Amino acid sequence: ALACIMYTSGSTGEPKGTLTMHYNITRVVKKINYIHFSTKDRILQVTSFSFDGSTFGIYGALLNGGTLVLSTQDQTVNARELSNILRTQQITKCFVTTALFNALVDIDPSCFATIETLLFGGEKASVSHVRKAFACLGPGRLIHVYGPTESTVFATYYPIDHLDDNANSVPIGKPISN
């Protein structure tokens, strides 16, 4: 059954509605191979409800018995404010766009201290920002994700467990399950 319609311009620049079914949403947050949810999770909803990335936070928390933590638009667009929320609300999981990830890393990568899994994606990843975040987070906590709206948020994932010294890009990885 239809859950919602997400609008995207994709690469065309022309808005189009993408029909998002219940299955499309559950396949991102239930019985999956790229992340583990638990009832102890505190998942921060960072993206706008009109962005497909919102389905990860909302349904990741609600369909797995976790806590959904909401932020205001003013808090979300202010990286310093957002870094404070990550810390004070003891967020365990979060998806942020690559641009926001870069801003948070530039301001204070220690804001990710309580994060068990941080997902980021949406555009080409900055290797220098990934290195800086990895130095703070360590292996098993940072995942680069990729997927167009038509695939409902993520289609691929790349867990960053190390980064070669000569790396000049971060792979988009392999397909998520379902």
Side-chain angles (χ1 to χ4, degrees), residues 15 19 29-30 43 70 159:
L19 304 179
V29 296
K30 297 292 288 180
I43 302 173
L70 301 175

Side-chain angles (χ1 to χ4, degrees), residues 7-16 18 148-150:
Y7 284 86
T8 179
S9 64
S11 60
T12 66
E14 294 293 320
K16 66 179 176 196
T18 298
T149 300
E150 292 83 355

Side-chain angles (χ1 to χ4, degrees), residues 64-83:
N64 290 291
T67 299
L68 176 62
V69 178
L70 301 175
S71 61
T72 67
Q73 182 179 3
D74 289 341
Q75 292 168 321
T76 301
V77 298
N78 182 328
R80 288 196 192 285
E81 230 0 82
L82 191 57
S83 69

Side-chain angles (χ1 to χ4, degrees), residues 114-125:
T114 63
I115 298 274
E116 293 172 9
T117 310
L118 177 64
L119 295 90
F120 71 99
E123 60 188 283
K124 184 178 179 183

Side-chain angles (χ1 to χ4, degrees), residues 26 28 32 81 102 131 148 157 170 175:
T26 58
V28 173
I32 45 179
E81 230 0 82
N102 292 346
R131 283 189 201 290
Y157 74 105
V170 178

Side-chain angles (χ1 to χ4, degrees), residues 17-37:
T18 298
L19 304 179
T20 303
M21 310 307 260
H22 286 263
Y23 172 78
N24 299 114
I25 293 172
T26 58
R27 72 139 194 105
V28 173
V29 296
K30 297 292 288 180
K31 298 179 183 173
I32 45 179
N33 63 346
Y34 71 100
I35 193 170
H36 173 74
F37 289 103

Side-chain angles (χ1 to χ4, degrees), residues 143-164:
I143 302 175
H144 183 222
V145 291
Y146 168 79
T149 300
E150 292 83 355
S151 72
T152 310
V153 191
F154 315 132
T156 66
Y157 74 105
Y158 181 76
I160 301 171
D161 293 325
H162 74 281
L163 208 54
D164 291 335

